[in-house]
């Protein structure tokens, strides 16, 4: 008679613990901080004003990471 209530309580506790673990997993240090150089050539590019921007605006006006511009060479 008490078994469904106990099972429900255990299930709710596990779900709450899982949700909390997911929330806390997002609170990590940023992988590439803005004040750190992106590569060994980053200072060279920034001094010569040829550094690719971090973000670009797409056709819909959304800001996206500029992966292509940062990975392609400027030559």
């Amino acid at each position: 008679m008490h078994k469904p209530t106990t099972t429900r309580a255990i299930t709710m506790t596990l779900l709450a613990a899982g949700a909390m673990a997911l929330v806390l997993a997002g609170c990590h240090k940023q992988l590439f901080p803005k004040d750190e150089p992106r590569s060994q050539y980053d200072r060279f590019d920034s001094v010569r004003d040829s550094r690719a921007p971090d973000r670009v605006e797409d056709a819909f006006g959304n800001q996206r990471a500029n992966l292509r511009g940062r990975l392609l060479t400027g030559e």
Side-chain angles (χ1 to χ4, degrees), residues 3-72:
K3 186 167 178 127
T5 305
T6 305
T7 305
R8 187 174 298 147
I10 290 172
T11 303
M12 294 303 286
T13 303
L14 290 175
L15 285 174
M20 189 62 119
L22 286 175
V23 168
L24 293 177
C27 299
H28 286 278
K29 191 172 123 181
Q30 186 177 359
L31 188 59
F32 298 111
K34 289 192 183 273
D35 59 344
E36 294 289 324
R38 297 185 293 207
S39 71
Q40 65 267 33
Y41 305 108
D42 189 50
R43 187 177 310 156
F44 178 86
D45 289 340
S46 63
V47 167
R48 283 151 185 82
D49 200 28
S50 61
R51 183 178 185 194
D54 291 337
R55 299 192 156 275
V56 292
E57 190 173 301
D58 65 4
F60 302 105
N62 299 324
Q63 291 287 323
R64 304 238 181 218
N66 186 18
L67 298 178
R68 181 178 303 241
R70 291 171 61 182
L71 294 173
L72 293 176

